[in-house]
Amino acid sequence: MEKVYLIVPSKEDLHYRQEWMKDQKTMNYNAGFDMNLKGYDKKTGIISKTDEEMIEWYNKWISKEPDRYFAYIYVDKIKEPIGEIYYYPDGDIHSMGILVVDKYRGKGYSYPALMELEKVAFEKNNINELSDMVPLDRVGAIKTFKKAGFIHTDKEVIEKVFDKESTIRQLLITKDMYFNKKESCLLYTSDAADE
């Protein structure tokens, strides 16, 4: 498996994100929700942003503050980013998200990207938790989050997606859970080495 790593983009690299948001195959997971967002198309899920809007977004999101983080996902031997990953303060928690571009989905890149985000959040920036709200019908995404140490909580919402109800439940990992998981992996690895 190629190495997956995260890089905070420069303003010159914003065109990647702008292109992804306009790609219907990449954004189809976003379709059908009632979102009050300028440039959002409910039918396709795409979000159209001007160059000026992208710069405005960048100035808000790309900061030195540990409470907010945004990076592109890169993979060895692929010259362009394959997606994005981020977290931001949302009330008492830090909400996070991950997007892998359609042509790179199903190749196992989400799991190592989540692991890298956890390392940044918990080891570097001392964040207390990461959380995402994921529809229960996204079985593959839920499996990946759980592999990365997230657990389902009782928090859920019912949203209309193309006028059908969809149950969306919170997945969460805390700093303590992360370090416990890391310690367990180290113990398991050292035990295996002793055999």
Side-chain angles (χ1 to χ4, degrees), residues 119-132:
K119 191 183 301 181
V120 169
F122 300 131
E123 293 184 26
K124 182 180 176 191
N125 292 336
N126 203 29
I127 299 301
N128 289 320
E129 75 294 301
L130 292 173
S131 166
D132 198 6

Side-chain angles (χ1 to χ4, degrees), residues 24-187:
Q24 189 173 342
K25 287 183 179 177
T26 296
M27 298 301 290
N28 63 1
Y29 75 95
N30 213 28
F33 288 93
D34 289 323
M35 291 196 288
N36 185 19
L37 180 64
K38 185 179 176 189
Y40 171 68
D41 180 81
K42 182 177 178 177
K43 182 178 176 185
T44 63
I46 65 169
I47 303 169
S48 298
K49 295 288 181 189
T50 65
D51 293 345
E52 294 76 22
E53 288 169 329
M54 291 302 296
I55 294 293
E56 186 180 314
W57 170 86
Y58 183 90
N59 291 336
K60 176 183 175 185
W61 270 87
I62 308 299
S63 67
K64 302 282 186 219
E65 296 179 28
D67 271 356
R68 185 179 297 271
Y69 178 81
F70 179 91
Y72 282 163
I73 304 166
Y74 283 87
V75 176
D76 279 346
K77 300 180 184 173
I78 299 177
K79 295 182 191 229
E80 64 184 6
I82 61 137
E84 64 186 41
I85 195 163
Y86 57 87
Y87 66 77
Y88 61 95
D90 186 13
D92 294 337
I93 63 168
H94 281 82
S95 290
M96 57 85 49
I98 181 170
L99 170 78
V100 174
V101 178
D102 178 65
K103 68 180 177 178
Y104 298 115
R105 288 181 181 153
K107 300 181 186 304
Y109 298 138
S110 293
Y111 170 72
L114 282 171
M115 298 303 293
E116 290 298 313
L117 183 70
E118 289 175 15
K119 191 183 301 181
V120 169
F122 300 131
E123 293 184 26
K124 182 180 176 191
N125 292 336
N126 203 29
I127 299 301
N128 289 320
E129 75 294 301
L130 292 173
S131 166
D132 198 6
M133 298 295 289
V134 180
L136 292 181
D137 61 356
R138 293 193 188 147
V139 177
I142 291 169
K143 183 177 176 184
T144 301
F145 273 95
K146 288 187 172 184
K147 182 178 177 184
F150 285 72
I151 61 166
H152 265 130
T153 71
D154 293 336
K155 181 178 178 182
E156 70 178 31
V157 294
I158 307 294
E159 288 201 21
K160 294 267 187 178
V161 181
F162 291 124
D163 299 323
K164 292 182 181 176
E165 288 190 350
S166 176
T167 303
I168 301 170
R169 186 171 294 155
Q170 182 184 50
L171 285 158
L172 174 83
I173 186 169
T174 66
K175 182 167 52 174
D176 288 343
M177 290 164 61
Y178 169 77
F179 282 110
N180 287 340
K181 173 183 69 164
K182 188 173 179 182
E183 188 175 305
S184 295
C185 288
L186 289 173
L187 287 172

